[in-house]
Amino acid sequence: MQNVYFISGMGADKRVFQFLDLGFCNPIFIEWTSPLPGETISQYAARLRHQITDKEPVIVGLSFGGMIAIEIAKQIPVKKLILLSSAKSEKEIPYYIRGLRYLPLHKLVTSSFLRWANQYAYRLMGIAGRSDKIIVADMFREADGRLLLWAVHQIAHWKNNVAIDNVVHIHGTADILLPYRFILADHTIEGGEHLMLMNQADTISELLKRILEEI
């Protein structure tokens, strides 16, 4: 059975993938680690990729995890890279997030604030159900505060313009955090929000299965 490496989004962990039916593969969940002082996203990806043992892996990256997956794919060959609610390059990052490079308002935010999941955060991520909110709140509360602050800075300053081979991009039309109008998607999920893999799990599972069967 095919090993597939899953990288969750900022503030999340493997629990975010629990609603997917992954019976078609052997899922391996990459674990986040604290960033080192002054570490770049490329350097961080180099450390994270040591959790990958396949020579040409299949990687599924969610949101910021997809950006990390892109950085890994710039360092090692990949058989397939599947992005969920993510971005392939800085052009797909909204201009108002990139604007934090010049007006770094994010530096005024504390890690405790980022770990606090509120109604605004749920709206950004497309979370409505009570059980989903509990899962998301637990993940954020338990997240590494240093990692969250570092990730926000890296997203704002990400300047990747390298085209990676074997990339498949899945994106929802109702994504607020990374709006669809900025994205060049290979597969469009109508009404899909940022964490559509939780509330449209059947659709995403079937699509992932079909993509992997084509490898």
Side-chain angles (χ1 to χ4, degrees), residues 22 95 120 147 160 204:
L22 301 177
Y95 62 88
Y120 180 66
L147 176 60
N160 178 62
I204 302 301

Short mmCIF file of all heavy atoms in Angstrom, two decimals, residues 22 95 120 147 160 204:
data_model
loop_
_atom_site.label_atom_id
_atom_site.label_comp_id
_atom_site.label_asym_id
_atom_site.label_seq_id
_atom_site.Cartn_x
_atom_site.Cartn_y
_atom_site.Cartn_z
N LEU A 22 -9.06 7.17 4.59
CA LEU A 22 -7.71 6.98 4.04
C LEU A 22 -7.38 5.50 3.89
O LEU A 22 -6.21 5.11 3.90
CB LEU A 22 -6.67 7.68 4.92
CG LEU A 22 -6.87 9.20 5.09
CD1 LEU A 22 -5.83 9.78 6.04
CD2 LEU A 22 -6.81 9.90 3.74
N TYR A 95 -2.93 39.74 -1.31
CA TYR A 95 -2.08 40.93 -1.18
C TYR A 95 -2.14 41.51 0.23
O TYR A 95 -1.16 42.08 0.72
CB TYR A 95 -2.51 41.99 -2.21
CG TYR A 95 -3.92 42.48 -2.02
CD1 TYR A 95 -4.21 43.56 -1.17
CD2 TYR A 95 -4.98 41.88 -2.70
CE1 TYR A 95 -5.51 44.00 -0.99
CE2 TYR A 95 -6.29 42.32 -2.52
CZ TYR A 95 -6.54 43.37 -1.66
OH TYR A 95 -7.83 43.80 -1.49
N TYR A 120 -14.61 34.35 15.07
CA TYR A 120 -13.99 34.92 13.88
C TYR A 120 -13.07 33.88 13.22
O TYR A 120 -13.07 33.71 12.00
CB TYR A 120 -13.19 36.17 14.24
CG TYR A 120 -12.50 36.83 13.07
CD1 TYR A 120 -13.23 37.40 12.04
CD2 TYR A 120 -11.11 36.88 13.00
CE1 TYR A 120 -12.61 38.00 10.95
CE2 TYR A 120 -10.47 37.47 11.92
CZ TYR A 120 -11.23 38.03 10.90
OH TYR A 120 -10.60 38.62 9.83
N LEU A 147 5.70 28.34 17.22
CA LEU A 147 5.48 27.88 15.85
C LEU A 147 4.41 28.71 15.16
O LEU A 147 4.55 29.09 13.99
CB LEU A 147 5.09 26.40 15.84
CG LEU A 147 4.73 25.79 14.49
CD1 LEU A 147 5.90 25.88 13.52
CD2 LEU A 147 4.28 24.34 14.66
N ASN A 160 8.12 32.21 -2.75
CA ASN A 160 8.35 31.13 -3.70
C ASN A 160 7.72 31.43 -5.06
O ASN A 160 6.54 31.79 -5.16
CB ASN A 160 7.76 29.81 -3.19
CG ASN A 160 7.96 28.69 -4.20
OD1 ASN A 160 9.09 28.35 -4.53
ND2 ASN A 160 6.87 28.16 -4.71
N ILE A 204 -13.55 14.97 -0.57
CA ILE A 204 -12.09 15.08 -0.58
C ILE A 204 -11.45 13.69 -0.59
O ILE A 204 -10.47 13.44 -1.30
CB ILE A 204 -11.59 15.89 0.63
CG1 ILE A 204 -12.20 17.30 0.63
CG2 ILE A 204 -10.06 15.99 0.60
CD1 ILE A 204 -11.90 18.12 -0.59
#
